[in-house]
Amino acid sequence: MTDSIRELTILQPDDWHIHLRDDKALATTVPHAAESFNRVICMPNLVPPVKNVDDAQAYRARIMQHLEISNLSAERKASFDPRMTLYLTDHTTAQDIELAAKSGIVQAVKLYPAGATTNSADGVTDINACVNVFEALEKYNLPLLLHGEVTHDHVDIFDREKRFLDEVMVQIIAKFPTMKIVMEHITTSDAADFVLSQGNQIAATITPQHLMFNRNHLLLGGIKPHFYCLPILKRESHQKVLLDVATSGNPKFFLGTDSAPHATDKKEAACGCAGCYSAATALPLYATAFDSVGKIDRLEGFTSRFGAQFYGLPVNESTVTLVNAPMQIPTNYPYFDGSSLTPLMAGETLPWSIKG
């Protein structure tokens, strides 16, 4: 622990990877995200997906409607800026990319390998068929966000990220060396090393759960459904490397919660949904992770500077203050249609909290 730092004021963070879901879910997820973050990159894997600029504009309008009727302060409402992503499919065109780049609201394009995660059935089945789209992304300097896993049934779930790096990433970078790419929610030392070995056009987001936990937390003593996410938690050795790079001050690594809400009964089921919900408590979670290795002083770069710099956006001017005072994470939040939402580390106490 960093005993000398009891209070830390940092620039307001942004979340460069979040799932807000849609419709009634937005009444919960939007206020939680807007409490802590200014800009958030909203994932497009809705049903149906956000495939073009018209879809993105309509989705953003629904988000803003829920922001306006929330109980947030006028300052928080004014600061919140949902940035949209398009869902890359086998049918996305170069014109879709051009329109997105010129829209003013689309920040990136997301590639899900078909079947990789929640609502990814419309994802890409053949990377080699995306040449025109990748050329357009390079041309308009629009980043490609990658869920970096192969999805072949015969590949072990713990090896899927490494196989993606070896079989897919190398191909993409060789053919499109100037395309900006974010490896989303990296989970392995292999991914961290890969990002470090590349130029400044390659970056990565890291979630709080992959900094704080490993597969023992998920599996030891029985399966813990609220630790189940995709990409799945890996060995402790991988977790330690992620902590090393996240707290290193290297601008290639920045905050992306991958906060993914699923109703509690959908998580605690025979076939539980993948995803950890952390939007409302992300900053204390990250502060706890950084302080666990004595690097709380490196938090601002990771949460508030490096992502904006990568995306070519100004850093925020507002601030938030974290204090070394305990906070208990709620056991659940009310969700839509009478359901509940169980957050990551529900009911547990963290050593850091947000002042005020």
Side-chain angles (χ1 to χ4, degrees):
M1 296 285 282
T2 309
D3 294 332
S4 59
I5 297 179
R6 310 295 299 177
E7 188 170 297
L8 182 70
T9 297
I10 62 173
L11 294 173
Q12 198 79 39
D14 302 300
D15 189 345
W16 301 104
H17 183 123
I18 194 169
H19 297 268
L20 298 177
R21 306 300 188 214
D22 204 358
D23 299 325
K24 294 179 181 178
L26 297 173
T28 301
T29 61
V30 170
H32 282 174
E35 273 185 311
S36 292
F37 301 108
N38 279 7
R39 291 167 294 220
V40 295
I41 289 193
C42 305
M43 291 297 107
N45 56 332
L46 309 181
V47 181
V50 178
K51 295 182 180 180
N52 55 49
V53 170
D54 288 344
D55 293 342
Q57 289 172 333
Y59 182 34
R60 191 175 193 277
R62 296 193 296 275
I63 293 168
M64 298 307 286
Q65 286 171 359
H66 282 275
L67 180 71
E68 288 309 312
I69 62 175
S70 72
N71 294 322
L72 291 171
S73 68
E75 179 187 11
R76 284 283 83 220
K77 289 179 180 179
S79 297
F80 190 58
D81 181 14
R83 309 300 299 167
M84 299 294 103
T85 52
L86 297 192
Y87 189 116
L88 184 60
T89 75
D90 290 339
H91 307 291
T92 304
T93 66
Q95 185 182 26
D96 290 327
I97 303 306
E98 179 183 1
L99 292 173
K102 294 177 178 178
S103 70
I105 63 163
V106 176
Q107 196 70 57
V109 172
K110 181 65 185 280
L111 189 158
Y112 295 99
T117 188
T118 304
N119 300 337
S120 61
D122 291 307
V124 171
T125 60
D126 181 9
I127 291 286
N128 295 315
C130 298
V131 170
N132 292 340
V133 169
F134 291 165
E135 287 174 347
L137 290 173
E138 267 191 319
K139 178 179 179 180
Y140 294 105
N141 201 32
L142 202 62
L144 177 68
L145 313 185
L146 288 176
H147 182 113
E149 292 187 289
V150 299
T151 55
H152 317 303
D153 289 343
H154 66 276
V155 178
D156 189 293
I157 191 169
F158 293 102
D159 298 333
R160 291 182 172 193
E161 185 170 272
K162 173 71 162 64
R163 290 285 291 270
F164 186 90
L165 295 169
D166 294 343
E167 297 173 11
V168 182
M169 273 298 286
V170 171
Q171 281 188 58
I172 293 174
I173 292 173
K175 293 174 183 174
F176 305 96
T178 65
M179 182 167 61
K180 294 180 82 168
I181 297 175
V182 180
M183 290 289 297
E184 298 280 25
H185 43 54
I186 62 168
T187 66
T188 59
S189 59
D190 307 284
D193 291 342
F194 186 90
V195 172
L196 287 169
S197 73
Q198 300 298 315
N200 292 334
Q201 83 282 12
I202 310 295
T205 58
I206 309 179
T207 74
Q209 63 264 26
H210 290 106
L211 292 179
M212 299 180 75
F213 305 109
N214 57 65
R215 65 189 191 183
N216 271 1
H217 296 96
L218 170 67
L219 298 171
L220 205 61
I223 296 170
K224 317 295 191 308
H226 298 289
F227 284 130
Y228 174 51
C229 58
L230 290 173
I232 200 164
L233 296 172
K234 304 300 194 299
R235 291 179 180 273
E236 183 184 19
S237 57
H238 293 295
Q239 177 199 354
K240 286 181 174 178
V241 171
L242 296 181
L243 260 175
D244 285 345
V245 296
T247 62
S248 67
N250 189 312
K252 285 173 159 286
F253 303 96
F254 43 84
L255 183 156
T257 62
D258 194 21
S259 179
H262 295 283
T264 301
D265 65 320
K266 298 291 192 295
K267 288 286 288 176
E268 299 173 359
C271 185
C273 297
C276 299
Y277 188 69
S278 60
T281 53
L283 286 186
L285 288 166
Y286 280 116
T288 299
F290 273 59
D291 202 20
S292 73
V293 290
K295 298 286 183 64
I296 190 76
D297 57 311
R298 300 276 178 86
L299 186 67
E300 184 181 70
F302 179 85
T303 62
S304 314
R305 292 185 180 275
F306 301 153
Q309 291 166 5
F310 179 83
Y311 280 97
L313 298 168
V315 297
N316 297 312
E317 296 180 0
S318 55
T319 60
V320 61
T321 297
L322 288 150
V323 290
N324 194 192
M327 69 158 282
Q328 186 176 26
I329 295 178
T331 55
N332 61 74
Y333 302 106
Y335 206 31
F336 62 90
D337 292 343
S339 64
S340 69
L341 184 58
T342 302
L344 184 65
M345 296 186 71
E348 297 190 43
T349 299
L350 297 177
W352 286 86
S353 54
I354 297 174
K355 189 175 185 178

